[in-house]
Amino acid sequence: MAPKDDSLARRVLKGDIRATAKLIRLVDDNDPEALPELAALYPHTGAAHVIGITGSPGVGKSTIVDKIVGKFREDGKTVGILAVDPTSPFTGGAILGDRIRMQRHFLDSGVFIRSMATRGQFGGLTRSTADAVVALDAMGKDAIIIETVGVGQDEVDIAHSAHTTVLVTIPGMGDDIQAIKAGLMEIGDLFVVNKSDREGAGKTVRELQFMLHMSSERYQESGWEPPIIQTIGVAEQGIDDLYQEILRHREYLKYLDKNELKRRERLKIKRQLFELLKEGVVNEIMKKIGGDEVLDGIVNDILDRKSDPYSANAELLKRISGSA
Ligand code: GDP
């Protein structure tokens, strides 16, 4: 669908910052007004390099992102940053934090920073992040960095919408290593041990090396063995290595077998479609049930033992299918 002259989509395509900010806000609010705009933008996407940076709070993600953005800018590339924090109830705080940490880039029109704030009861963060990526990609950003906090399912899901995923940890974070072992390993294209000025950095690198070694067969097959990069974010040490590895991963993706590339893209699209579908279906179901209040009433009945989850579920399903 061709966008109207004065539409948000048209303005986003021209690189209009306010229009893009507005669209991302609509996306974050799950406002249906965003949908025709996103549909109009979608054909203009696919050129940006989407990079996910994830790790526990305090490992130095924002510090690293700030420095990496500097590298992209030196190369004349524009950057969009999405800070996603599903754990923090204080969105305002997150935005303020970004402002302070990214001050250096705040007046640079080649850098666009937004915090994603979706607090939908039924998720939606993966969907809204993917939609925001569409907006930034269509706006013409060369690189889009998605910064996620934590190492949970949300991060795994969001990482799937990135081309290159960077996992950041620090010395002495045994829990992180466990989380990586338990499932994050597969999404990491690059591993960073930040705060390498601290004691134990070598040990953390060895632990990661050992884990990667255990999966070496898979990496031989894919042709990409995730590098482990030691950095000291605050001193900008190792940042150039990290930047070069991010670019090298981009090149690796470009030269992947065409069929493999298609397979990955197809998977990505299927996931995105499924996220949209899931949210749409849940919204429809909630409407049929009569909204959150009705659901809360049922929950209260179960709490008082006047009902039980099984009968309530059966009753709701009947109502949804219109037979009650
Ligand atoms: P985030 O929560 O993962 O985004 O972490 P931040 O980037 O906000 O960093 C958390 C704290 O660690 C800040 O006080 C940084 O100055 C500090 N920090 C970042 N990188 C390093 C590093 O390489 N070494 C040391 N010692 N401190 C660092």
Side-chain angles (χ1 to χ4, degrees):
M1 190 173 53
K4 281 191 226 120
D5 273 356
D6 59 342
S7 69
L8 264 187
R10 176 76 69 177
R11 284 162 54 206
V12 170
L13 285 173
K14 284 187 190 146
D16 184 326
I17 290 172
R18 287 183 59 186
T20 309
K22 176 154 187 221
L23 179 56
I24 292 181
R25 205 160 47 241
L26 291 175
V27 153
D28 212 17
D29 291 343
N30 197 15
D31 190 320
E33 255 185 59
L35 299 176
E37 310 291 344
L38 291 168
L41 291 177
Y42 194 80
H44 302 274
T45 61
H49 182 196
V50 184
I51 303 153
I53 298 203
T54 189
S56 299
V59 295
K61 293 178 299 298
S62 301
T63 309
I64 290 173
V65 168
D66 177 71
K67 304 285 197 275
I68 294 291
V69 169
K71 293 279 172 196
F72 274 114
R73 297 300 291 140
E74 277 168 33
D75 276 351
K77 300 277 199 292
T78 56
V79 189
I81 303 162
L82 296 171
V84 183
D85 184 354
T87 54
S88 164
F90 307 110
T91 4
I95 293 167
L96 188 66
D98 296 337
R99 289 217 169 127
I100 292 164
R101 280 179 288 197
M102 302 276 181
Q103 243 166 14
R104 185 155 77 102
H105 302 294
F106 225 72
L107 296 173
D108 179 353
S109 64
V111 180
F112 183 96
I113 307 168
R114 273 294 168 280
S115 290
M116 300 305 293
T118 310
R119 296 283 178 274
Q121 198 180 350
F122 306 104
L125 198 56
T126 310
R127 190 270 312 152
S128 61
T129 306
D131 291 349
V133 167
V134 166
L136 292 178
D137 192 343
M139 184 201 195
K141 291 288 175 255
D142 298 307
I144 299 168
I145 300 179
I146 311 173
E147 186 187 323
T148 50
V149 178
V151 280
Q153 190 56 43
D154 269 328
E155 285 65 42
V156 175
D157 289 345
I158 291 169
H160 284 305
S161 61
H163 299 115
T164 302
T165 298
V166 182
L167 290 188
V168 185
T169 186
I170 53 173
M173 289 280 272
D175 285 354
D176 264 13
I177 302 284
Q178 289 313 318
I180 290 169
K181 238 191 228 168
L184 279 184
M185 190 88 183
E186 282 175 26
I187 62 164
D189 300 304
L190 280 82
F191 291 84
V192 170
V193 179
N194 190 40
K195 305 201 185 182
S196 280
D197 49 322
R198 287 195 184 170
E199 210 176 305
K203 182 168 173 263
T204 305
V205 169
R206 283 194 297 280
E207 280 173 341
L208 286 172
Q209 272 169 342
F210 181 70
M211 276 195 283
L212 288 172
H213 183 70
M214 304 280 278
S215 316
S216 58
E217 242 171 61
R218 177 153 49 87
Y219 298 130
Q220 271 162 14
E221 229 168 76
S222 72
W224 175 264
E225 191 172 335
I228 302 167
I229 303 133
Q230 280 185 257
T231 57
I232 304 174
V234 276
E236 209 162 334
Q237 274 184 39
I239 297 294
D240 195 50
D241 284 351
L242 172 58
Y243 179 63
Q244 295 305 331
E245 289 295 337
I246 289 173
L247 298 186
R248 193 166 72 85
H249 188 254
R250 166 81 157 159
E251 286 304 301
Y252 153 78
L253 290 176
K254 268 192 205 159
Y255 294 106
L256 267 183
D257 176 72
K258 285 267 180 310
N259 290 331
E260 172 61 13
L261 214 57
K262 275 237 169 80
R263 189 189 66 82
R264 289 186 188 202
E265 276 304 306
R266 221 181 275 131
L267 200 64
K268 214 174 270 190
I269 291 171
K270 198 167 173 179
R271 282 203 176 101
Q272 189 188 359
L273 192 57
F274 189 69
E275 284 299 329
L276 283 168
L277 202 56
K278 210 164 63 175
E279 208 170 316
V281 168
V282 170
N283 286 341
E284 280 302 307
I285 286 177
M286 286 305 286
K287 252 192 254 163
K288 283 201 177 168
I289 287 175
D292 221 21
E293 266 173 43
V294 175
L295 200 63
D296 281 345
I298 296 170
V299 169
N300 282 336
D301 284 348
I302 298 173
L303 188 70
D304 295 339
R305 297 295 186 275
K306 284 185 209 150
S307 177
D308 63 88
Y310 313 100
S311 315
N313 180 46
E315 169 65 25
L316 284 171
L317 283 178
K318 255 201 253 168
R319 217 183 285 180
I320 292 160
S321 60
S323 54

